Amino acid sequence: QVQLVESGGGLVQPGGSLRLSCAASGSRFSINDMGWYRQAPGKQRVLVASITDGGITTYANSIKDRFTISRDNAKKTVYLQMNSLKPEDTGVYFCNAQGVLHMTSRDFDTWGQGPQITVSS
């Protein structure tokens, strides 16, 4: 099994910055894609940003030029740097990782618990 542990959420004023981290742990696995999803109150979970193991990134239009996703493959960790935060960025941010378990050669698709981010004055 692969577990994801996130950190970095909290309350921030509009225009402020936050950095999220998500570290994967477990036994003998490889990660292909990692990403961050946001679920606002009363809404569905949507993709914010994703990154492949080769470093190819994808961003939602609503956060382009404000958020940056990156990863450290050696640490099995993905980051989300969020700048110029807006109230509409408020929500629970879930980390996602997809890859392969070496022992069974089976794919996995796992989620973190999701830190709350609130952007408010």
Side-chain angles (χ1 to χ4, degrees):
Q1 294 292 341
V2 177
Q3 295 82 37
L4 300 179
V5 177
E6 299 137 320
S7 61
L11 173 65
V12 62
Q13 291 187 343
S17 297
L18 281 176
R19 188 185 193 222
L20 299 179
S21 299
C22 171
S25 64
S27 298
R28 301 181 63 191
F29 62 97
S30 298
I31 302 176
N32 298 326
D33 298 338
M34 301 187 83
W36 291 95
Y37 290 71
R38 176 173 67 211
Q39 187 163 18
K43 296 189 177 181
Q44 290 187 330
R45 191 178 301 184
V46 296
L47 176 68
V48 173
S50 66
I51 185 168
T52 69
D53 55 353
I56 298 173
T57 58
T58 301
Y59 292 98
N61 288 334
S62 62
I63 57 86
K64 275 184 180 178
D65 301 323
R66 297 189 296 121
F67 292 9
T68 302
I69 189 170
S70 60
R71 66 190 277 177
D72 184 328
N73 290 330
K75 295 182 178 179
K76 293 182 169 60
T77 298
V78 64
Y79 307 95
L80 186 67
Q81 177 66 43
M82 303 180 289
N83 300 327
S84 302
L85 282 160
K86 304 176 181 180
E88 51 263 43
D89 295 320
T90 293
V92 179
Y93 282 69
F94 294 93
C95 177
N96 175 259
Q98 300 172 24
V100 179
L101 300 172
H102 293 175
M103 290 290 287
T104 60
S105 298
R106 297 185 68 174
D107 294 341
F108 69 85
D109 184 344
T110 192
W111 295 86
Q113 293 294 318
Q116 170 72 43
I117 292 177
T118 302
V119 184
S120 175
S121 55

